[in-house]
Amino acid sequence: MLFNSFEFLVFFPIVTAIYFILPHRHRWIHLLIASCVFYMAFIPIYLLILILTIIIDYYAGILIENARGNQRKFYLAMSLVANIGVLAVFKYYNFFIANLNELLHISNYHASLPLLNIILPIGLSFHTFQAMSYTIEVYRGNYPAERHFGIYALYVMFYPQLVAGPIERPQNVLYQFHEKKSFNYDNVTSGLRLMAWGLFKKVVVADRLAFMVNEVYNKPNYFHGLPVIIATVFFAIQIYCDFSGYSDMALGTARVMGFELMKNFDRPYFSKSIGEFWRRWHISLSTWFKDYLYISLGGNRVSIPRGYFNLFFVFMVSGLWHGANWTFIAWGALHGFYQIFGRLTKDTRQLIIQKTRLSFLNHSVITISTTFILVTFAWIFFRANTISDAFLIIRSMAESAKSNWHGTSFTGLSSLLIFYKPIE
């Protein structure tokens, strides 16, 4: 079920009204059943997959807490393999097999491995990562294992953030399901306003911009120059309004019932660096990768070359998380490159800024503009259907710049890069 559907328009007030009417001790089962109904609106049988991983992670959490030494690692590994295994089969199997078949073909092996005819369960990447955050936090001793199976199931399945996040941590939200929530007028009005704002961004802005973006990006051979540039900028706005709008609706829906979910977007296009952008964009996912992958690889506590590798690797994986396509991997790799480039040139750019004595306002305008241009350029790979389409679009934009602007825009971009704020 989607937030911007007629079904949800009926579902939400009924579920919320019953929630407040019921005694506190029965509310968790009501929300759990409602979440099952919400999820089954897509493909009902996929609920079994979700239940299977919930059972595994529930017992894994208890086993991890009770175990000592290497047994704790074993139970954590069991949980991670189960979750990543489900993700690998449903989201990445066909991608890897298709690439493997291509390699076999290039190597003159004419054997072809079979592909699966399956549909990706909706929200799989989100609730899988949320489930993994639980067992990792229990393993690290940051949160006790949840003993109430129904409450743990609700932590994974809570319908407001089930299919598109935010990707929560147990310490942020699990305890809230034990708390008694009373009807609060301020929470209800604030939540409804947030839902309305999110719906506006999603339906009025994002869905309208999508018409032009889809037209250009689905037929890159037919468009050149300005329409391609406009479509790319429109996509930057579209994806923000689409994703943040859905997050707003999730936060608002939860708040009406008294639950607070983590903020997922914080005006990311006002960032003055790529590093700041990632602290403002899809915060629940970027902090997930930072807390559970980047730091696990050693973070900044390793040699400089290894630190660069870690950074690049994490962004590559982040790209793959968004979709099983080389375009997403290229998008992640480009952001990894941005980060490394920023660190390598930090001292040089600071020196140039000191020499030029730019005012605070001018420096802010330049750094915000530069960050937006870099992020928007990377969106080309995110939105393009194939890598070759992405390069076709870039070539079209470059030829347009050369013929119409005589290269001044790219000269300007080069100048902006000099004043790009050092990435922290």
Side-chain angles (χ1 to χ4, degrees):
M1 192 182 303
L2 298 174
F3 287 147
N4 55 325
S5 66
F6 176 76
E7 290 83 0
F8 185 73
L9 194 63
V10 177
F11 173 88
F12 171 68
I14 293 175
V15 169
T16 305
I18 295 174
Y19 173 79
F20 283 118
I21 291 171
L22 285 174
H24 171 65
R25 64 181 182 278
H26 297 316
R27 286 179 176 176
W28 70 267
I29 185 69
H30 166 64
L31 284 182
L32 188 57
I33 292 171
S35 298
C36 290
V37 172
F38 183 88
Y39 192 75
M40 289 171 69
F42 297 106
I43 300 177
I45 193 69
Y46 279 174
L47 182 65
L48 297 178
I49 301 167
L50 198 49
I51 292 173
L52 175 65
T53 55
I54 286 172
I55 292 172
I56 291 172
D57 293 325
Y58 169 73
Y59 284 106
I62 294 173
L63 290 170
I64 289 168
E65 190 174 70
N66 293 337
R68 293 291 178 272
N70 288 333
Q71 268 198 329
R72 290 167 56 79
K73 285 185 181 176
F74 172 77
Y75 292 131
L76 175 64
M78 180 190 71
S79 166
L80 297 181
V81 167
N83 284 286
I84 295 172
V86 171
L87 205 54
V89 170
F90 283 93
K91 187 167 183 177
Y92 299 110
Y93 175 84
N94 283 345
F95 172 68
F96 285 116
I97 294 300
N99 280 281
L100 189 57
N101 284 338
E102 188 66 27
L103 276 176
L104 290 173
H105 179 72
I106 292 171
S107 307
N108 290 324
Y109 288 99
H110 299 293
S112 180
L113 297 170
L115 300 175
L116 295 177
N117 184 21
I118 53 176
I119 298 173
L120 177 67
I122 192 161
L124 180 65
S125 301
F126 291 92
H127 54 72
T128 298
F129 268 41
Q130 179 151 323
M132 287 197 290
S133 74
Y134 167 76
T135 49
I136 294 172
E137 292 294 346
V138 172
Y139 174 79
R140 290 179 174 178
N142 294 332
Y143 199 82
E146 175 59 54
R147 304 288 166 162
H148 191 305
F149 179 77
I151 295 292
Y152 173 71
L154 186 56
Y155 161 74
V156 178
M157 293 195 63
F158 188 44
Y159 82 84
Q161 35 90 228
L162 177 59
V163 298
I167 302 169
E168 280 291 355
R169 312 293 193 277
Q171 53 267 45
N172 293 344
V173 75
L174 229 170
Y175 74 93
Q176 295 190 52
F177 296 122
H178 290 283
E179 292 179 341
K180 183 178 180 180
K181 305 290 185 186
S182 302
F183 181 88
N184 182 296
Y185 177 79
D186 291 337
N187 279 345
V188 172
T189 53
S190 166
L192 290 175
R193 277 199 302 270
L194 195 55
M195 290 174 70
W197 176 235
L199 189 65
F200 174 82
K201 285 198 283 187
K202 163 70 181 158
V203 176
V204 178
V205 182
D207 290 353
R208 300 283 77 76
L209 291 178
F211 287 119
M212 178 177 179
V213 173
N214 293 342
E215 185 69 16
V216 172
Y217 272 76
N218 290 337
K219 300 172 186 172
N221 286 307
Y222 291 88
F223 295 93
H224 304 279
L226 192 59
V228 178
I229 295 170
I230 292 174
T232 301
V233 174
F234 276 8
F235 180 68
I237 301 169
Q238 178 204 338
I239 192 168
Y240 168 71
C241 289
D242 193 315
F243 208 173
S244 72
Y246 215 80
S247 284
D248 288 345
M249 285 187 270
L251 267 66
T253 304
R255 187 177 297 168
V256 168
M257 294 183 286
F259 297 94
E260 279 299 323
L261 302 179
M262 70 185 296
K263 193 174 187 178
N264 218 11
F265 291 86
D266 185 17
R267 298 182 297 167
Y269 289 144
F270 286 93
S271 302
K272 296 177 183 176
S273 71
I274 294 295
E276 185 181 347
F277 173 80
W278 279 106
R279 290 191 293 276
R280 291 166 170 246
W281 178 274
H282 203 175
I283 298 166
S284 65
L285 179 68
S286 57
T287 53
W288 195 102
F289 276 111
K290 176 188 171 189
D291 294 343
Y292 302 132
L293 184 57
Y294 182 68
I295 291 178
S296 297
L297 291 171
N300 293 326
R301 306 183 307 279
V302 295
S303 64
I304 293 176
R306 175 60 191 269
Y308 290 156
F309 171 80
N310 290 346
L311 203 57
F312 193 74
F313 177 75
V314 169
F315 273 96
M316 291 265 288
V317 176
S318 169
L320 187 61
W321 180 89
H322 284 82
N325 193 317
W326 285 107
T327 53
F328 294 110
I329 297 173
W331 170 77
L334 191 51
H335 272 278
F337 169 76
Y338 287 162
Q339 295 274 21
I340 294 169
F341 178 81
R343 291 189 181 186
L344 287 172
T345 59
K346 179 179 176 181
D347 293 339
T348 304
R349 284 178 289 115
Q350 278 184 331
L351 183 64
I352 294 173
I353 290 167
Q354 288 171 2
K355 295 287 185 186
T356 53
R357 296 180 181 177
L358 277 175
S359 68
F360 174 79
L361 179 61
N362 287 337
H363 183 242
S364 296
V365 169
I366 289 172
T367 52
I368 290 173
S369 303
T370 306
T371 303
F372 181 76
I373 290 170
L374 292 172
V375 169
T376 302
F377 180 78
W379 285 134
I380 294 172
F381 290 92
F382 192 96
R383 177 57 186 86
N385 296 323
T386 63
I387 289 287
S388 57
D389 277 4
F391 282 112
L392 183 62
I393 288 165
I394 293 168
R395 190 164 60 246
S396 170
M397 294 168 72
E399 287 172 354
S400 171
K402 184 179 179 181
S403 59
N404 296 327
W405 304 338
H406 306 287
T408 52
S409 294
F410 281 85
T411 304
L413 175 61
S414 303
S415 302
L416 288 172
L417 284 170
I418 292 174
F419 296 106
Y420 183 50
K421 183 183 178 183
I423 294 168
E424 299 168 4

